[in-house]
Amino acid sequence: MDNARKAGRVVVLGSASQDLYMEMERHPTTGETVMSGDIVQRFGGKGGNQAVAAARAGAETLFVGRLGDDAPGRTYLDRLVGHGVDVTRVVFEPDVPTGTALIMLNAERDNMIVVAPGANHHVNEGQVAALQDLGPADVLLMPMELPLDVTAAAIMAAAGQGTRVILNLAPYAPLSQEVLDACFLIIVNEKENELMEGDGLRAPEVLVTLGTDGSRWNQLVVPAQQVDAVDTTGAGDAYCGALAAALVAGTDRREAMVAATASSAATVQHLGAQPDPKWD
Ligand code: RIB
């Protein structure tokens, strides 16, 4: 551990996927074929989205994960670099495609998402070992698109080093109570919160994102910004990344939630989970 380090880092261990967008009038029902506009490749995966949001919020940010050794993976790495994310702990996985999400966006701007994890499901103990230098000043931010055993091992290892772990329990899958207890904060949406509680799991610090109703950290409520949303994909990720950046900078809870809310509001006003680095 680097004891001389002053400012902490946001370290995201998570998924990075290409998002293939199809815009259509309405979503298909089972057995039905519908036509879409041209397919558009964008950049996503909850981990990559959160890392980009943290970096854009001003935190020194590292992304730890696996990409396929293919054109989408190489392009993705360049994008992360363009956003100022440290990618020195990213590994290219040979013979496995980069994770891919199919995102179907209808005229009401509602989405349906299916994820093929690809290289994300090859994240293993090597990436847990890459967290060895994390310390008390750092925040480990983790969404849930990696193998569950790796997620649990990373949380326990980082917490054991005194690092604050923020777990975005999305998409929801049950982890043990011991693992949840090791986290500094659990971030869930209302559905995920219901599923967590339904499994009899509890966490002392829970932040629930409430969509257009804002967000609630235990009893502290911050309203949402009222904006015209064109694409809500990645709104939660933008929230998590900006929140982690604010907390690692020492911002108090309310101000951190306000910053996270602004990040989320900015994200829903453009197509794609991540902004284009050229927009800066
Ligand atoms: O949270 C949004 C993300 O979920 C998308 O970018 C997609 O890749 C899926 O992982």
Side-chain angles (χ1 to χ4, degrees):
M1 190 191 311
D2 179 1
N3 290 325
R5 185 182 303 286
K6 289 194 179 66
R9 305 163 292 180
V10 174
V11 180
V12 180
L13 173 57
S15 54
S17 302
Q18 60 173 339
D19 283 354
L20 299 181
Y21 267 71
M22 288 182 283
E23 290 190 55
M24 59 205 63
E25 194 55 34
R26 62 181 181 79
H27 292 136
T29 56
T30 303
E32 187 187 22
T33 300
V34 301
M35 305 298 283
S36 83
D38 288 344
I39 204 157
V40 177
Q41 185 202 30
R42 297 193 168 93
F43 297 87
K46 294 179 190 302
N49 297 343
Q50 295 180 10
V52 167
R56 290 179 66 87
E60 180 184 348
T61 304
L62 282 85
F63 176 73
V64 184
R66 288 188 179 244
L67 291 162
D69 193 2
D70 51 18
R74 295 281 165 186
T75 313
Y76 202 124
L77 195 83
D78 290 344
R79 284 282 291 218
L80 289 173
V81 171
H83 282 294
V85 176
D86 182 328
V87 296
T88 52
R89 300 179 199 194
V90 173
V91 174
F92 283 105
E93 182 73 28
D95 305 322
V96 176
T98 290
T100 299
L102 286 180
I103 300 188
M104 294 190 289
L105 197 60
N106 71 10
E108 278 77 48
R109 320 314 285 170
D110 296 320
N111 63 33
M112 294 177 75
I113 302 179
V114 185
V115 179
N120 296 309
H121 268 199
H122 290 255
V123 170
N124 59 31
E125 61 281 356
Q127 279 63 59
V128 179
L131 306 176
Q132 270 172 359
D133 68 334
L134 270 64
D138 302 315
V139 164
L140 175 66
L141 175 60
M142 291 192 65
M144 289 281 291
E145 291 179 319
L146 303 181
L148 273 188
D149 59 336
V150 176
T151 300
I155 291 169
M156 297 310 286
Q161 294 160 209
T163 301
R164 285 176 291 174
V165 179
I166 301 179
L167 175 65
N168 175 213
L169 206 47
Y172 177 79
L175 287 167
S176 71
Q177 186 62 58
E178 181 193 15
V179 169
L180 296 191
D181 286 343
C183 295
F184 162 72
L185 175 65
I186 308 289
I187 303 180
V188 281
N189 64 22
E190 290 174 283
K191 183 69 193 166
E192 291 149 2
N193 194 36
E194 266 176 42
L195 291 168
M196 184 176 76
E197 291 181 354
D199 279 338
L201 296 168
R202 296 282 179 275
E205 299 287 343
V206 180
L207 194 159
V208 184
T209 56
L210 306 166
T212 54
D213 289 330
S215 54
R216 185 182 65 236
W217 185 341
N218 294 347
Q219 306 308 319
L220 176 61
V221 177
V222 167
Q225 290 185 7
Q226 301 307 318
V227 295
D228 290 329
V230 297
D231 178 16
T232 60
T233 308
D237 301 329
Y239 187 104
C240 293
L243 186 94
L247 293 175
V248 93
T251 309
D252 72 29
R253 288 182 181 198
R254 179 182 294 280
E255 288 309 310
M257 290 170 75
V258 169
T261 300
S263 171
S264 191
T267 293
V268 303
Q269 292 178 80
H270 61 70
L271 284 165
Q274 299 176 16
D276 192 313
K278 293 197 288 289
W279 294 345
D280 287 330

